[in-house]
Amino acid sequence: MPKGLSANQIRQTYLDFFAKKGHTIVPSSPLVPGGDATLLFTNSGMVQFKDVFLGTDTRPYKRAVDSQKCLRVAGKHNDLEDVGFDDIHHTFFEMLGSWSFGDYYKKEAVAWAWELLTEVWELPKDRLYASAFKDEEGVIPTDNEAAESWLAQPGFDPQHLVYYGRKENFWEMAETGPCGPNSEIFYDFGAEFGELTRRKGGQLHLDAPRFVEIWNLVFIQYNRTGPKDLKPLPAKHVDTGMGLERMAAIMQNVDSNYRTDLFMPIINKVQELAGQNDKERDANFTPYRVIADHSRAAAFLIADGVVPGNMGRNYVARMIIRRAARFGSKLGLNRPFLAALAEVIIKQYGEAYPELMENSKTILDNLNLEEKQFHFTFEKGLAKLEDYISELSNLNQTVLSGEEAFKFSSTDGIPVEITRDILQERGLELDEEGFWREMAKHKEISMGGKLQMAGELTYEVTRGAEFYSNIIKKLQEAKKLPKKGVKYDPYTSLERKTELLALLHKGNEVKKVEPGDEVIVLLSSTPFYVASGGQVSDTGAISSASGKKWSIKVIDTIQPAAGAVVHIGEVIEGNPKVGDQALAQVDRRRRQDIMRNHTATHLLHAALHQVVGEHARQAGSLVAPDRLRFDFTHSEALSKEQLSQVEQLVNEWVLDNYTLRKETKPLDKAKKEGATALFGEKYGAEVRTIAIGEAPSRAQRGNKPFSYELCGGTHVEHTGDIGLFLILSEGSAAAGIRRIEAVTGREAYAVTKARNSALAEAARILKARPEDVPAKMLSLQTELNESQKQVASSRRAKAQEGMQDVLENVPLVAGVPVLSASVPGADADALRHLADRFRQRHPSGVALLAGVEDGRATLIAAVTKDLVERGLHAGELVKLAAEPIEGTGGGKPELAQAGGKDNGKLAEALAKAAPWVLEKLKSNTN
Ligand code: ATP
Ligand code: MG
């Protein structure tokens, strides 16, 4: 029997075990991978070490261990469809990982895995199985080293070793690059879960429900340079990952990850809210699984700054919340309930992952808001979809077309993942390929034909990276580029002499380009900044530094692959050639504007901390030349006073003219010194730090900075360079997140100037001094209101005069006064008032009055008592009269009202009165 450890104990003993073997314990990186546009979410432990495997960066340690937050809902790793239906796959899960970077290798990795599993955790040896790699195509060598390591473990049953092929046991990062065989460890739940079966070829089947894969040991051994070419790597690595939830199920002796202590508190809460007993719960466990899984994923996502929205990562947050809400309604949970679950989750995981506690309000607010939206708007769309699907199955069709699914997603906001759920529940299918084709048609943004950007809902930039990596590799082999790739230094100067190393035109490498050509340029080094941390990319020019004259206008700079910084632009003159000496020049003015805005963003962040509180943390930012936008966590609107204080504080700091201290140092050191790190940023071992606020004069030196951030952006030298800082607006960006937009420098001057001249103009018109404009405006406003009131009342008086006339001269129908008139501008009240006056003036008579307001027509019919007794009913008249104006109404015999459209047929409506009275009187005397 496995030892009954709690999940917390499993996590801790794993970390301790590897720490004792010389591994450095590193923290989990956020769910949003830093600086990696090719990946939507961190989906395994190795993501934060990718650059080490690629050889583009190093770490100060050679062995590492961690517990990594992972999310598998997009791209290559997408387990969403399993969630709810099996007991071992989650969207969000914790992966316990251990690494050797060019240090120990297979023998140690296998021996330590065995030691941890069998000695520390005391798993029965006869329950453990392992796989080793054997190539079914017979090309790549069999991993005998791993196999022999397993056979050497004390008590390992040789019958429990299987050989699997490429699909399961050969790991590749991409089409090229680091790769190698892996060895998986499986746990056997026992014969009561099924017979042992064999695959074709004789190897044991180690699949669910009897077996579960618990740990994958990857041995990075080769560098793939082509479909058939593997070269041994000089430095070999070990990368292992174990699913904490699966391990907990084994240790706690339960048959589902959802019945471990990681999930039971959530499941219990769902059960309590749904008011079901255990039997009812177990009879229909799918909604429980989905809700428990998705609420946990959503809480962690929001804590990492991913709030629900329509694009990319934010779309995923919205999709899983909606999916959870839909499964909630299957349990009768028809009001927001996810926040109640999030409270349980925050309490349970908050200690291991403090970001949950720090952002608890944002998490709860966003869940509530998103669920409310689900119930108000989204449910209607769902009903429409369900109707449509019913119709399909009535027509005996089994597939929903991609176009239809796309329509439901784009017009009714139904995530395609939910459409798929509903179809599945009805035994129907979705044409998924058709859906993605449709999506691509609508959303594809293509750059230079080669780079595919992530559009709405499209998850990953899949093309491009490979292509550029190959170019970089070729240049490195030709000794044209160093190991780190293009020398990227946007910090020291705004222009640089460099060499033109590659040119791309229409997606192909070319030697030379012509004027007018769109081109992508790769230089040996560049001063151009690549968009990151909210700061936009540089633009500028590249021109010949010697030889024949040519120039290229640069409109964007991007990094499509590690080590590859490229410039996108157009040839203005001459014939740039590969090998030419070039001068790269950043657009200086634009960049200075950007730097002002970036430094001002740091000041704004610091000022918000002082005025609003420490909880006001950065949740997103844009640093452009013409403005800055800053999102931060705070749940209510800033008051006018707070905004004014923030603006004033920033401007004071600007005028204090602090010198910025920009340094590069180890990440650990920066963090220890208290530097603020932001989510979604890439932090290698070495980081840049920006400190502002140390005393400017020598005498005051030693003051602590009030702003100290990890930041790869570009900044001014002194805060005085910013010029004026002006807040333009403050508003809500998402639940619990506020947004400030502001301008600095030249733009602030332009705004001020425009406002000043508007004020001057107003003063001129008002014949007042600028300072007196508000008072003057106020008195004018009062005067205006007064005279408007006067005009209105005299208009009313005049209308009554007119009506007096109408009331006096009422035509007779069979001797009875019948008034039918339209009263412009009168509302129902005014009409009723008139009807009363009519009845006072005429003891016997019928009135039909009409008024029009905002495109709506109102009819009032009145009949005096004596005529009611003769069978004339106001309700009947008003209904009849309302027909031409497509309205309905009713009321008492003496007074009735109807509403309709102002469709130009009011005269027709009014004309109904006289014949009706005649008809009525006639039929009653007969
Ligand atoms: P499987 O074949 O079961 O989907 P995998 O081969 O995708 O697993 P790896 O990518 O090797 O898994 O990840 C390493 C470990 O992480 C696995 O051995 C497993 O214990 C765990 N794991 C993988 N995917 C999930 C998931 N969706 N939910 C929970 N744990 C997972
Ligand atoms: Mg998998």
Side-chain angles (χ1 to χ4, degrees), residues 72 77 79 89:
R72 294 194 171 180
H77 281 298
D79 291 334
H89 286 98

Side-chain angles (χ1 to χ4, degrees), residues 467-520:
F467 182 79
Y468 287 95
S469 296
N470 285 337
I471 296 180
I472 296 292
K473 242 172 257 154
K474 219 173 55 195
L475 289 165
Q476 283 165 335
E477 276 157 21
K479 301 266 180 284
K480 284 280 187 188
L481 275 181
K483 203 169 138 207
K484 289 212 165 192
V486 174
K487 183 171 187 297
Y488 174 64
D489 177 12
Y491 308 113
T492 43
S493 83
L494 294 184
E495 56 179 71
R496 173 151 327 126
K497 275 226 173 116
T498 167
E499 185 183 342
L500 205 161
L501 293 184
L503 286 166
L504 277 111
H505 178 52
K506 293 195 172 154
N508 294 314
E509 267 200 271
V510 293
K511 287 273 168 258
K512 191 173 94 169
V513 279
E514 307 282 334
D517 281 355
E518 270 184 25
V519 67
I520 294 182

Side-chain angles (χ1 to χ4, degrees), residues 72 79 88-90 93 95 213-216 241 243 246:
R72 294 194 171 180
D79 291 334
I88 56 171
H89 286 98
H90 310 295
F93 66 100
M95 193 186 283
E213 177 195 325
I214 51 176
W215 202 350
N216 191 0
R246 294 185 187 181

Side-chain angles (χ1 to χ4, degrees), residues 434-487:
F435 173 83
W436 291 108
R437 254 200 321 273
E438 199 63 17
M439 172 71 73
K441 248 197 258 166
H442 286 79
K443 297 292 172 203
E444 197 168 80
I445 307 167
S446 133
M447 285 161 64
K450 200 66 193 171
L451 286 170
Q452 298 285 316
M453 287 301 289
E456 192 180 38
L457 320 188
T458 2
Y459 298 130
E460 295 184 8
V461 182
T462 47
R463 281 159 60 183
E466 224 39 73
F467 182 79
Y468 287 95
S469 296
N470 285 337
I471 296 180
I472 296 292
K473 242 172 257 154
K474 219 173 55 195
L475 289 165
Q476 283 165 335
E477 276 157 21
K479 301 266 180 284
K480 284 280 187 188
L481 275 181
K483 203 169 138 207
K484 289 212 165 192
V486 174
K487 183 171 187 297

Side-chain angles (χ1 to χ4, degrees), residues 105 138 201 228 249 514 656 664 701 730 754 796 882:
Y105 208 41
K228 293 218 148 67
E514 307 282 334
D656 285 341
T664 309
R701 191 167 281 170
E730 190 271 347
R796 257 199 311 275

Side-chain angles (χ1 to χ4, degrees), residues 40-61:
L40 213 58
F41 294 111
T42 300
N43 55 24
S44 65
M46 60 78 60
V47 169
Q48 66 165 314
F49 300 113
K50 203 165 144 183
D51 48 10
V52 182
F53 296 135
L54 286 168
T56 54
D57 208 348
T58 55
R59 295 288 186 275
Y61 41 79

